[in-house]
Amino acid sequence: VGKYKSGIKVFAPATVANMACGFDCLGFALNQPGDEIIVTLNDSRKGLKVTEITGAGGKLPYEIEKNTAAWAAHCFLESIGESDRGIDMEIHKKMPFGSGLGSSAASAVAGVFAVNALTQQHPFTKKELISFAMDGEELASGARHADNIAPCLFGGITMVRDNSTLDIHRLSTPRGLHATVIYPHVEILTKEARGMLSKEITLKQHIQQSSNMGGLIVGLYNGDFDLIGRSLQDVIIEPQRAKLIPFFYEVQEAAMKAGALGCSISGSGPSIFALSANSLIAEEAGLAMQKIFKENKIRNELYVSPINQEGVILL
Ligand code: HSE
């Protein structure tokens, strides 16, 4: 009784990185799924402790220096001189991991956002929390990327122009834009999905990809769905990674036939995302995509969501 009297609960959403033409730069947030973290002050001992993890099938470690959420929180607490503060952390994974939906970013963001809200001594802005969340993400993926962290923190569609200087911008979301995401139960390791990429691209590929990214951004600002549709194409990464996802091209075709503006791999996969001009098309695209996996007996999860505009929130 009274366990949560001095507690804070937060929700951090799943995110879709790359957005077809914006490899390692673009990302957007979904309303669902996401992670929940509860932190409570515990004066009976010192330091941060992970007291409970649910929804992870025993696959996540309790040690601070190995746990994405706890490590991000720890790095923050150290920086404000509060690492001795007795804090209990419960992690409730409510999204699949290794899915290409920014699961480690959601944990890292939730962890640091929660302790920032709990300690309150030096409340940091979301922008100031980015680098601590990246500490957590780095632990999980080995890379210091903000393409999932940024939309998870801020919500909306974000662009990371430069990771090292945290030159990060939120883009406009046109009215009606909806996302469909399907997660087939196949395992892809981000490290491998990155390791397999060719280090070289042709001048032609560079021109196509950067033109598409420019077109996408103009389309988002002008609410020009046709331009968004023409621009949602990945001529560099998708052709290399598609073979990791069974029936990828069939699923993509099904989404496009249902009227989606574009469809590609979410992050490093195996999830596949589509964007549509309204929720009806997004739902129809989802059913069409799901049909392919069902026919081929591949278990999957389907999510249809507007672009989440809030990012991580206190519940
Ligand atoms: N942009 C990364 C990739 C995934 O596609 O490998 C998330 O950081």
Side-chain angles (χ1 to χ4, degrees), residues 10-43:
V10 309
F11 169 80
T15 47
V16 171
N18 299 342
M19 252 181 125
C21 50
F23 180 64
D24 278 3
C25 310
L26 296 179
F28 65 84
L30 301 169
N31 278 356
Q32 285 292 339
D35 280 352
E36 284 175 16
I37 284 188
I38 301 170
V39 285
T40 38
L41 292 174
N42 182 346
D43 294 331

Side-chain angles (χ1 to χ4, degrees), residues 105-136:
S107 289
V109 165
V112 70
F113 188 77
V115 290
N116 180 47
L118 184 73
T119 52
Q120 278 293 329
Q121 245 121 327
H122 316 266
F124 278 35
T125 62
K126 282 186 170 182
K127 195 166 187 298
E128 288 167 333
L129 295 179
I130 298 174
S131 71
F132 303 109
M134 284 169 81
D135 292 334

Side-chain angles (χ1 to χ4, degrees), residues 22-308:
F23 180 64
D24 278 3
C25 310
L26 296 179
F28 65 84
L30 301 169
N31 278 356
Q32 285 292 339
D35 280 352
E36 284 175 16
I37 284 188
I38 301 170
V39 285
T40 38
L41 292 174
N42 182 346
D43 294 331
S44 69
R45 50 158 191 78
K46 289 192 164 189
L48 177 66
K49 188 176 177 195
V50 179
T51 53
E52 191 181 347
I53 301 176
T54 65
K59 287 189 187 157
L60 291 185
Y62 279 75
E63 295 96 318
I64 305 286
E65 61 286 354
K66 291 187 191 159
N67 182 290
T68 303
W71 184 247
H74 167 81
C75 293
F76 169 77
L77 291 167
E78 274 225 305
S79 86
I80 61 165
E82 295 276 334
S83 52
D84 273 351
R85 196 79 176 273
I87 295 175
D88 293 343
M89 176 179 277
E90 286 176 27
I91 301 169
H92 302 290
K93 290 294 304 173
K94 299 203 165 176
M95 59 179 292
F97 45 96
S99 58
L101 291 173
S103 166
S104 52
S107 289
V109 165
V112 70
F113 188 77
V115 290
N116 180 47
L118 184 73
T119 52
Q120 278 293 329
Q121 245 121 327
H122 316 266
F124 278 35
T125 62
K126 282 186 170 182
K127 195 166 187 298
E128 288 167 333
L129 295 179
I130 298 174
S131 71
F132 303 109
M134 284 169 81
D135 292 334
E137 171 80 303
E138 190 175 12
L139 187 72
S141 70
R144 251 188 115 69
H145 276 148
D147 56 350
N148 289 107
I149 298 271
C152 185
L153 259 171
F154 300 116
I157 304 169
T158 54
M159 183 194 61
V160 180
R161 199 205 59 83
D162 182 54
N163 275 302
S164 58
T165 55
L166 301 182
D167 193 357
I168 294 171
H169 304 270
R170 203 179 140 149
L171 307 177
S172 174
T173 303
R175 246 178 119 86
L177 192 69
H178 273 68
T180 308
V181 175
I182 193 157
Y183 162 53
H185 292 212
V186 295
E187 198 183 344
I188 294 186
L189 299 174
T190 302
K191 269 184 202 161
E192 275 172 33
R194 290 184 80 77
M196 70 183 294
L197 297 175
S198 161
K199 299 276 176 285
E200 267 135 47
I201 59 166
T202 64
L203 186 61
K204 186 175 168 201
Q205 285 173 311
H206 160 71
I207 294 167
Q208 285 178 318
Q209 198 88 344
S210 49
S211 306
N212 280 332
M213 183 157 149
L216 176 59
I217 293 171
V218 172
L220 291 172
Y221 274 90
N222 291 344
D224 183 340
F225 286 122
D226 289 339
L227 177 57
I228 292 172
R230 293 198 298 282
S231 306
L232 278 172
Q233 290 189 53
D234 175 2
V235 299
I236 297 175
I237 309 297
E238 182 188 291
Q240 299 183 70
R241 285 181 171 168
K243 57 179 162 293
L244 298 175
I245 307 170
F247 307 101
F248 171 76
Y249 287 113
E250 287 86 342
V251 172
Q252 185 182 52
E253 192 189 338
M256 298 308 290
K257 272 194 181 150
L261 301 166
C263 175
S264 187
I265 302 169
S266 174
S268 55
S271 293
I272 301 171
F273 82 97
L275 286 173
S276 299
N278 62 52
S279 65
L280 289 175
I281 304 173
E283 276 164 27
E284 212 163 284
L287 294 176
M289 293 159 87
Q290 196 165 40
K291 191 163 173 263
I292 305 287
F293 285 132
K294 271 192 183 153
E295 280 169 5
N296 291 287
K297 302 201 171 25
I298 294 175
R299 281 179 59 210
N300 62 82
E301 248 76 59
L302 178 66
Y303 309 99
V304 179
S305 166
I307 310 300
N308 172 335

